[in-house]
Every structure is written in C-alpha cells, then in structure tokens.
Amino acid sequence: NYNMEEINPWWFTDKWEREDADIKKWKNMEIRWTPCWINRISLKPFSLNFVIGTRQVGKTTGLKLLIKDLIERGKDARSITYMNCEILLNAENLKNWFSHYFEKRKERDILILDEITAIEDWWKVVKFYIDAGKFSDSVLIISGSLSSKLKKYSESFPGRRGRGKEILVLPLSFREFLEVKRIDASMENRVKKAFDEFLVTGGFPRTINKDFSFYTDFIGGFENKLLKIDR
C-alpha cells in the first residue's frame, strides 16, 4: 500500500504531531520558527507549486508545519496527502502509487510530493495525470533538493501550473537570523557577536541549534546527489 496510511497519520488521529518525526524534531529545537515561505504556496485549485532548495534547509519540516496549520484552520485532514518520494524506486513505482492514491483521494485535495527529484523521469508521470485532468480541483506541492534539476523540469510545465508558485527555500539571511534569535538590530554589540556566530553556523536550522553533526550529513547528502547524476 506504499505506506500511505503510515506516512499520513493525521488521517486517523488528531494527536499525530506526537508521533511525526519531523514535527517532534522541530518542537525539540531550542530555537525554532515557522518558515514564512509556506505562506507563499498557492492553495487555490488548480495549483502546481514547486518548492526548491538544498537538503537540510527545512523543506520537509516546513511542509509538515503547513499540514499542521491547515488542519488547525479546519481543513479536512483526509484531504491532505503527503508522500516521501525517496521510497519510490522509479517512475513506474510512482505511477503505481498514483493509481493507489486516486482510489483514496478526496475532492479538492492537497497532494504533497516531497523529494521528487529522487525519481528519474518523475515529471513525465505528473504531466500525464495533469493533462488527463486528474488534478483540476486539486493543489499539488512538489519539492526537491536537486535545485537545478527541479527548476529545469518545473519550466517544462507551460500552461500546466494553474495558480501555482515556484518557491526557492534558502538558509536564513543574517536579518532573519537576528529575528529568530530575537536580537534587536539596534543593539550594536549583540549584533556584532551574532554576526560572528552567523559566519560559523550559517542559516540552517540544525546549525543555528548547534547540531554540528549537520556538516557531515550535509556533505554526505551532497556527495550522494552527485553520484546520482554521475558527477
């Protein structure tokens, strides 16, 4: 069943946040914030949104926080489907997953396909179902870490984007860093100290929270992506 029920616990319980690994990690962070980019995603049918950004920048956590916010605002939890595409091996698996999804979907649904660049030729499958009219009353949110590759294919959907947006997710700027650290820009000494810290940590959620295993994970993930594109 492609783990649809397991991956979408909000279908069955309003206590799903206690079990979701991404939300739990977010709640356990000393310094945490809700990224403003989730508010730029179009939620009006039909929309095909692309969320583009490097690994570890907080895309998945942001998408889970979007789900949390939508449910809290009264959206039917069963109409929100999330899929981590890294567990699908190829385009054929993605096509089979879609067949299963269409059996369970609700009207005016929101479909989130996370890390879709893990699948070669994913765009052919998505384009096929858009052209077939399967998403005319839906919102699609597609994310990926190979930014150049996802951007290239996002441009191959002319006339198929509807009201969708393309959203580039970047590490925090220094100004945003000050905001999440709650440092007043007028406090010169604190700002200088914060800038020294920013030069070391950058604007990634894990480094801001002094999780310095991030660097090894980031480089390992980057090397893995290079291998996938034969570089």
Side-chain angles (χ1 to χ4, degrees), residues 47-137:
S47 294
L48 172 59
N49 298 279
F50 290 98
V51 177
I52 303 171
T54 188
R55 278 187 173 277
Q56 303 290 336
V57 79
K59 297 188 306 299
T60 296
T61 301
L63 292 171
K64 292 291 183 67
L65 290 170
L66 173 63
I67 293 168
K68 177 177 178 292
D69 180 62
L70 287 170
I71 293 172
E72 287 174 351
R73 288 194 279 137
K75 179 72 174 173
D76 180 3
R78 294 282 312 200
S79 69
I80 305 171
T81 301
Y82 170 89
M83 184 60 189
N84 181 351
C85 294
E86 289 184 308
I87 69 173
L88 301 174
L89 298 178
N90 51 45
E92 187 63 30
N93 284 157
L94 179 62
K95 190 173 181 181
N96 292 336
W97 181 88
F98 268 120
S99 297
H100 187 64
Y101 161 74
F102 288 130
E103 294 175 2
K104 294 179 174 290
R105 69 184 301 200
K106 288 206 167 191
E107 291 184 358
R108 298 182 68 84
D109 58 333
I110 295 174
L111 173 60
I112 300 171
L113 298 173
D114 199 9
E115 294 295 347
I116 202 165
T117 45
I119 303 172
E120 195 70 33
D121 292 333
W122 63 268
W123 60 276
K124 294 179 181 178
V125 180
V126 173
K127 187 181 286 188
F128 171 81
Y129 286 118
I130 289 175
D131 289 346
K134 290 286 191 179
F135 298 113
S136 58
D137 63 349

Side-chain angles (χ1 to χ4, degrees), residues 57-224:
V57 79
K59 297 188 306 299
T60 296
T61 301
L63 292 171
K64 292 291 183 67
L65 290 170
L66 173 63
I67 293 168
K68 177 177 178 292
D69 180 62
L70 287 170
I71 293 172
E72 287 174 351
R73 288 194 279 137
K75 179 72 174 173
D76 180 3
R78 294 282 312 200
S79 69
I80 305 171
T81 301
Y82 170 89
M83 184 60 189
N84 181 351
C85 294
E86 289 184 308
I87 69 173
L88 301 174
L89 298 178
N90 51 45
E92 187 63 30
N93 284 157
L94 179 62
K95 190 173 181 181
N96 292 336
W97 181 88
F98 268 120
S99 297
H100 187 64
Y101 161 74
F102 288 130
E103 294 175 2
K104 294 179 174 290
R105 69 184 301 200
K106 288 206 167 191
E107 291 184 358
R108 298 182 68 84
D109 58 333
I110 295 174
L111 173 60
I112 300 171
L113 298 173
D114 199 9
E115 294 295 347
I116 202 165
T117 45
I119 303 172
E120 195 70 33
D121 292 333
W122 63 268
W123 60 276
K124 294 179 181 178
V125 180
V126 173
K127 187 181 286 188
F128 171 81
Y129 286 118
I130 289 175
D131 289 346
K134 290 286 191 179
F135 298 113
S136 58
D137 63 349
S138 303
V139 170
L140 269 71
I141 304 170
I142 291 177
S143 89
S145 294
L146 278 173
S147 300
S148 60
K149 197 170 184 180
L150 182 55
K151 186 168 180 61
K152 170 188 171 184
Y153 288 125
S154 73
E155 293 168 352
S156 69
F157 284 82
R160 297 176 176 89
R161 303 279 291 273
R163 297 172 174 171
K165 305 284 182 63
E166 184 174 295
I167 295 155
L168 181 61
V169 183
L170 298 171
L172 295 187
S173 66
F174 181 56
R175 177 174 292 182
E176 292 167 329
F177 180 82
L178 291 177
E179 289 175 359
V180 302
K181 298 274 283 188
R182 298 182 181 176
I183 297 173
D184 191 323
S186 65
M187 302 169 68
E188 187 173 340
N189 288 337
R190 290 197 66 190
V191 169
K192 285 181 178 178
K193 185 177 179 182
F195 186 65
D196 290 338
E197 181 184 350
F198 182 72
L199 291 177
V200 175
T201 64
F204 289 89
R206 285 175 58 189
T207 54
I208 290 171
N209 282 276
K210 298 184 171 22
D211 176 3
F212 295 112
S213 64
F214 161 85
Y215 298 112
T216 302
D217 294 344
F218 183 80
I219 292 170
F222 187 68
E223 289 174 339
N224 184 50

